[in-house]
Amino acid sequence: MNTCPENIVQWMNDYLDGDIAPADETALKEHLESCSACRKHYQELSKTIAFVQSASHIQPPGDFVQATMARLPKERQRAGFQRWFRQHPLLTAAALFCILMSAMLFSSFNDEQQFAFTKQPNLVVEGETVVVPEGEVVTGDITVRNGDLRVEGELQGDVTIVNGKYMASSGVISGEVEEIDQAFEWLWYTIKNGVKDAASIFGSDNTETD
Amino acid sequence: MDALVNKRINRVIKGDQNAFAEIVELYQNQLYQICYRMLGNRHEAEDIAQEAFMRAYVNIHTFDQKRKFSTWLYRIATNLCIDRIRKKKPDYHLDAEVRGAEGLNMYSSIANDDELPEDELTRMEVQERVQYEISRLPDKYRAAIVLKYIEELPLAEISEILDLPLNTVKTRIHRGREALRKQLSNL
């Protein structure tokens, strides 16, 4: 054994790793042919590898996937939302905006339970009824809240009545008449108008840039 | 393969749990195998493999998709296995050198205390014996040997899984092989 090269075991390991310098490999092979102790050592090492590799493949139990999925944390729904918010900041902002806007809308709807109407010259008020008197001509749109409208003269414009009635009479209206009775209709009306306004803003923008 | 896995990972990140079930389906065999060879016990292997998948799921957003998913997953699993093995062991460090005995550490001084009598060893079936011998390896050699010879992974990948320099991995495999050779000298 005292003639064995110092690095003989290292060479064996390098060789088994498939990572040995050609010169070392030649030296290793030469030495193994002449030295039975080292040859035995090498054979034991390769037998060891074969032994470990003879381990058969072990299969996980049949319900492994289901069992694993059942162990996943339950708060994933919330985590999912959080991820979603993180990844869609714009949509999150938009949703927040919508919520705040509708809250504002409802509060303003509740504030506006009082009788109110668009001021126009020539209009006469009787209790909670707005009257366009006979023989008079009113130019412009009229909005009446929480009150009625009676037209005896002539109205050149649109009429919007919230929580009230348009009382048909002998008068003439040259625009559209719209009656809104409920909160949701009021909401819808406001949104519709908002969109119309926005469209007209963008429309005028376009015409300016054109 | 990597592109397919990354597609599923992205679905998981978006909250699609079914996509994760597909990932478990893909890797369950190898992961369970690693855990079983490390721990030597089916029940514990199942527990730790599931735990590893669970941690992968929870931390999936930290996975760098430019890397190999299996490497990341195996790393979680081997760390959990090593933790489990160390918890089961008594509180002294086997690696610590024994006083006044240069080069000897606790491994050599306990001299395979739990070694079974030889006639019992010869009665063991081969499969049983393989697992028994792997289980007798110190955990740090065991991980390297299992990844190298059971999973047949390249050394570079093992070094990434174990988060060790390539040369350290080689040394551990050499020592593990040498330890096994000594354990098997009566074979």
Side-chain angles (χ1 to χ4, degrees):
Chain A
M1 268 291 259
N2 50 9
T3 58
C4 294
E6 212 179 313
N7 293 330
I8 191 72
V9 175
Q10 183 61 43
W11 290 346
M12 287 182 204
N13 276 309
D14 290 346
Y15 182 75
L16 291 170
D17 288 343
D19 183 25
I20 188 171
D24 294 345
E25 187 175 347
T26 320
L28 171 70
K29 284 186 171 164
E30 271 172 18
H31 180 73
L32 288 186
E33 276 180 26
S34 61
C35 172
S36 63
C38 287
R39 193 160 59 236
K40 181 166 175 279
H41 189 136
Y42 175 77
Q43 280 166 353
E44 281 174 2
L45 277 178
S46 33
K47 247 169 72 184
T48 301
I49 293 168
F51 176 75
V52 173
Q53 287 185 318
S54 75
S56 54
H57 273 269
I58 302 280
Q59 294 287 324
D63 64 346
F64 184 84
V65 178
Q66 293 95 295
T68 304
M69 295 309 285
R71 262 179 80 168
L72 297 189
K74 295 287 175 274
E75 75 273 8
R76 64 164 290 283
Q77 198 85 39
R78 248 186 67 213
F81 278 127
Q82 283 166 356
R83 268 202 292 271
W84 191 88
F85 284 145
R86 257 206 310 277
Q87 283 165 9
H88 302 91
L90 210 64
L91 286 178
T92 307
L96 203 65
F97 178 76
C98 283
I99 291 167
L100 292 177
M101 275 306 282
S102 57
M104 224 170 74
L105 216 56
F106 274 109
S107 64
S108 70
F109 177 79
N110 287 329
D111 284 347
E112 288 164 359
Q113 291 298 325
Q114 287 170 323
F115 173 60
F117 64 97
T118 318
K119 271 220 173 89
Q120 298 280 11
N122 313 332
L123 283 182
V124 175
V125 179
E126 295 172 3
E128 294 203 336
T129 307
V130 177
V131 183
V132 178
E134 211 171 337
E136 298 277 1
V137 178
V138 175
T139 319
D141 299 342
I142 296 182
T143 303
V144 180
R145 278 198 196 102
N146 307 304
D148 304 331
L149 176 72
R150 200 167 72 231
V151 179
E152 287 164 357
E154 195 182 342
L155 174 62
Q156 292 173 347
D158 298 340
V159 175
T160 308
I161 302 172
V162 183
N163 282 348
K165 271 202 289 284
Y166 165 64
M167 290 189 274
S169 55
S170 55
V172 181
I173 297 177
S174 57
E176 286 171 28
V177 178
E178 203 167 353
E179 286 182 44
I180 299 165
D181 285 331
Q182 284 159 6
F184 283 108
E185 276 185 52
W186 167 235
L187 184 69
W188 171 236
Y189 170 79
T190 316
I191 292 170
K192 222 164 59 182
N193 268 14
V195 171
K196 256 189 233 162
D197 285 350
S200 68
I201 288 167
F202 286 121
S204 61
D205 272 1
N206 283 347
T207 49
E208 275 165 27
T209 51
D210 277 351
Chain B
M1 175 78 176
D2 281 351
L4 263 146
V5 171
N6 282 343
K7 217 182 252 177
R8 292 195 172 99
I9 290 168
N10 286 327
R11 276 168 55 205
V12 175
I13 292 171
K14 285 185 188 129
D16 180 356
Q17 210 167 9
N18 290 339
F20 194 73
E22 288 168 26
I23 292 175
V24 176
E25 189 87 47
L26 273 173
Y27 291 101
Q28 58 169 343
N29 283 334
Q30 282 140 303
L31 202 74
Y32 180 78
Q33 175 93 354
I34 292 174
C35 294
Y36 177 74
R37 293 303 174 193
M38 288 290 288
L39 300 165
N41 172 313
R42 278 177 181 277
H43 183 73
E44 274 186 309
E46 192 182 347
D47 184 37
I48 294 291
Q50 285 175 356
E51 174 85 20
F53 276 121
M54 202 261 276
R55 293 200 183 189
Y57 177 80
V58 171
N59 298 304
I60 194 100
H61 56 280
T62 67
F63 169 64
D64 175 3
Q65 296 194 14
K66 288 190 276 295
R67 307 191 138 202
K68 212 171 161 183
F69 181 73
S70 60
T71 303
W72 187 68
L73 184 64
Y74 296 168
R75 185 163 171 176
I76 297 173
T78 45
N79 283 339
L80 287 172
C81 286
I82 290 173
D83 281 353
R84 175 63 65 95
I85 294 165
R86 290 191 179 156
K87 262 181 210 150
K88 287 195 293 187
K89 263 202 313 220
D91 215 12
Y92 49 79
H93 273 283
L94 291 178
D95 281 339
E97 289 204 350
V98 178
R99 238 169 232 269
E102 194 119 326
L104 280 179
N105 57 29
M106 288 299 275
Y107 286 125
S108 40
S109 73
I110 58 174
N112 302 327
D113 255 349
D114 54 345
E115 195 171 358
L116 297 171
E118 193 153 330
D119 57 326
E120 208 166 314
L121 284 180
T122 47
R123 262 188 283 125
M124 260 186 190
E125 281 185 50
V126 177
Q127 285 307 317
E128 215 180 330
R129 179 78 192 269
V130 173
Q131 186 54 46
Y132 168 73
E133 299 298 352
I134 293 173
S135 302
R136 281 170 66 199
L137 284 174
D139 53 52
K140 52 187 199 173
Y141 302 161
R142 201 185 309 172
I145 291 284
V146 166
L147 294 173
K148 168 80 182 161
Y149 288 113
I150 306 278
E151 289 303 315
E152 300 185 307
L153 296 174
L155 291 174
E157 227 173 297
I158 299 174
S159 113
E160 232 186 296
I161 293 171
L162 299 178
D163 196 18
L164 292 169
L166 192 61
N167 276 328
T168 311
V169 171
K170 279 187 186 173
T171 309
R172 290 193 178 184
I173 289 174
H174 297 176
R175 294 198 181 150
R177 245 176 353 219
E178 201 58 46
L180 278 171
R181 182 186 73 85
K182 282 178 190 145
Q183 288 168 207
L184 292 169
S185 54
N186 62 344
L187 203 71

